[in-house]
Amino acid sequence: MWRSHLEPNLGSLHVHELSAKRLEKFQADVTAGKSKRGTKTKRKHGGPVAANHSLNLLSGMCELAIRYDIISANPVSGVERNRNTPRDYLFSAAELRLIAASVAQETDQGVRVAFRLFMETPLRHANVAKAEWSEFVGLGTDDAVWTIPAHKMKAGKPYAIGISRDLGDLIVAYREECTVLSTRWLFPMGRGISGAQKTPMVDFSTPRDSFKSAWRRIRARALKMAGESAADYRALNSAGVHAFRHAFVSRAAEMDGVTAFDIQQLGSWADIKTGMGYIHAGAQRKNALASKVAGDVRALIREGEAMKLTEKVVSLIGPRTSAG
């Protein structure tokens, strides 16, 4: 947020120069996709959510300035945030099939492995992008485990999750067949293509920072495969890479016997309330639950309607007692 929006637009200003009018202009620019002052890029950087996050970050910086008596009031507090339109994060079974089919057509082996990890684990985008070979044990067996050290987890605790034999075999094949493999990172940073032979240039010392461009490619291909029904796939049309984490946790929550504590542990959240925000009940499940509750209430209504008036009165006011 700082490098993409705050620094290019406001970085040259002193904190005393941050007025509500100037901040509203900044908010409008970022919402419109301007990553530099007065410049709208070909690829959109920003949007309503990015504008809100940028203002929240700036607000925290201003609060620090207040603490050190640099300013007396927070200029961001009076700026009304953009209204967020909730995205549909719950991939349907049909959408997951389309995504899997699109991923299978990827020529980049690393991308195929990464999106299988996104689909089959509840890990964050950064955990996958910065995965290291040393974190995986038992690949190619039924007991494969991916253990992420505490310093890479937001909760500050190490996190271990089992890896299926099928996914483990895919990772092993990637390690054996990839011609530009890092000894440390599963997905080293790409630096483009070099020479007439179109040899990939790779920075083996740095992990890949994002799979967002790969996701746009995979999503576009999946929607093309959907044909005329593409518009019906709401999550596929709107969700980003982080949606895989939401979808995984939501599907786990729909399984019988799963508790809120299970969800917290699955997602590795320090606060259980955060995990609850990742649960998106599907329409079919919500309708079934509502129907069941309504059915129970209707049964009580029918029982009540069948009661005689005197029975209703007695049940409400209770039996009379003699005055002492």
Side-chain angles (χ1 to χ4, degrees):
M1 294 302 157
W2 171 255
R3 287 184 299 176
S4 297
H5 307 300
L6 289 169
E7 185 180 26
N9 288 279
L10 304 174
S12 62
L13 301 178
H14 191 276
V15 67
H16 289 102
E17 299 177 89
L18 295 176
S19 64
K21 183 177 180 180
R22 187 169 298 218
L23 291 174
E24 287 171 357
K25 173 67 166 56
F26 164 75
Q27 181 186 37
D29 285 345
V30 176
T31 301
K34 296 178 181 178
S35 62
K36 294 183 179 180
R37 189 183 304 173
T39 303
K40 187 169 184 178
T41 59
K42 195 171 184 181
R43 173 183 163 191
K44 185 174 181 179
H45 292 265
V49 176
N52 287 349
H53 287 333
S54 297
L55 287 173
N56 292 340
L57 175 59
L58 182 60
S59 180
M61 296 165 67
C62 289
E63 289 295 330
L64 189 62
I66 292 173
R67 183 184 303 176
Y68 286 97
D69 296 323
I70 299 173
I71 55 176
S72 58
N74 190 335
V76 187
S77 60
V79 180
E80 185 177 352
R81 305 298 195 268
N82 292 316
R83 294 185 61 183
N84 291 335
T85 301
R87 293 178 176 179
D88 189 340
Y89 281 112
L90 189 59
F91 289 123
S92 67
E95 285 173 315
L96 285 174
R97 292 189 191 98
L98 285 169
I99 293 170
S102 180
V103 169
Q105 294 183 27
E106 275 292 313
T107 56
D108 187 329
Q109 292 173 294
V111 169
R112 291 202 302 271
V113 170
F115 277 87
R116 284 288 299 274
L117 288 170
F118 286 133
M119 296 173 74
E120 295 188 37
T121 71
L123 276 304
R124 296 179 177 87
H125 186 179
N127 295 135
V128 174
K130 294 176 173 56
E132 301 184 43
W133 290 110
S134 60
E135 297 170 0
F136 293 83
V137 176
L139 291 175
T141 72
D142 294 328
D143 301 314
V145 176
W146 180 14
T147 303
I148 302 172
H151 71 272
K152 285 188 175 183
M153 300 298 297
K154 284 188 176 181
K157 298 179 181 179
Y159 183 93
I161 188 169
I163 298 294
S164 69
R165 177 66 178 267
D166 182 52
L167 178 53
D169 289 343
L170 182 66
I171 297 173
V172 170
Y174 165 58
R175 183 171 58 189
E176 293 176 349
E177 298 171 10
C178 186
T179 57
V180 285
L181 196 69
S182 167
T183 56
R184 179 181 179 184
W185 309 105
L186 262 72
F187 313 111
M189 175 70 78
R191 297 295 184 188
I193 304 297
S194 174
Q197 301 299 321
K198 298 187 180 299
T199 304
M201 293 188 297
V202 179
D203 181 357
F204 294 105
S205 64
T206 307
R208 187 164 180 161
D209 60 350
S210 172
F211 282 96
K212 292 180 180 178
S213 60
W215 170 235
R216 286 193 292 270
R217 184 172 66 245
I218 290 168
R219 182 171 61 185
R221 187 164 51 231
L223 289 170
K224 185 176 181 180
M225 293 168 65
E228 295 180 356
S229 60
D232 298 333
Y233 297 120
R234 294 175 56 192
L236 189 56
N237 275 282
S238 63
V241 177
H242 195 63
F244 287 102
R245 179 166 162 84
H246 281 257
F248 193 97
V249 173
S250 292
R251 288 182 175 277
E254 293 186 354
M255 296 181 176
D256 294 336
V258 175
T259 67
F261 179 75
D262 295 329
I263 295 300
Q264 181 189 14
Q265 295 300 304
L266 181 67
S268 185
W269 289 290
D271 187 347
I272 198 168
K273 293 180 181 178
T274 306
M276 296 303 98
Y278 275 69
I279 298 174
H280 308 265
Q284 185 175 359
R285 180 177 173 82
K286 285 189 290 187
N287 292 339
L289 182 60
S291 178
K292 183 179 185 303
V293 174
D296 291 343
V297 173
R298 281 196 300 272
L300 296 174
I301 292 172
R302 285 193 294 269
E303 292 174 8
E305 291 173 344
M307 293 171 62
K308 295 179 181 179
L309 179 60
T310 55
E311 291 176 330
K312 292 182 181 179
V313 173
V314 169
S315 65
L316 290 173
I317 66 175
R320 291 180 180 273
T321 58
S322 299

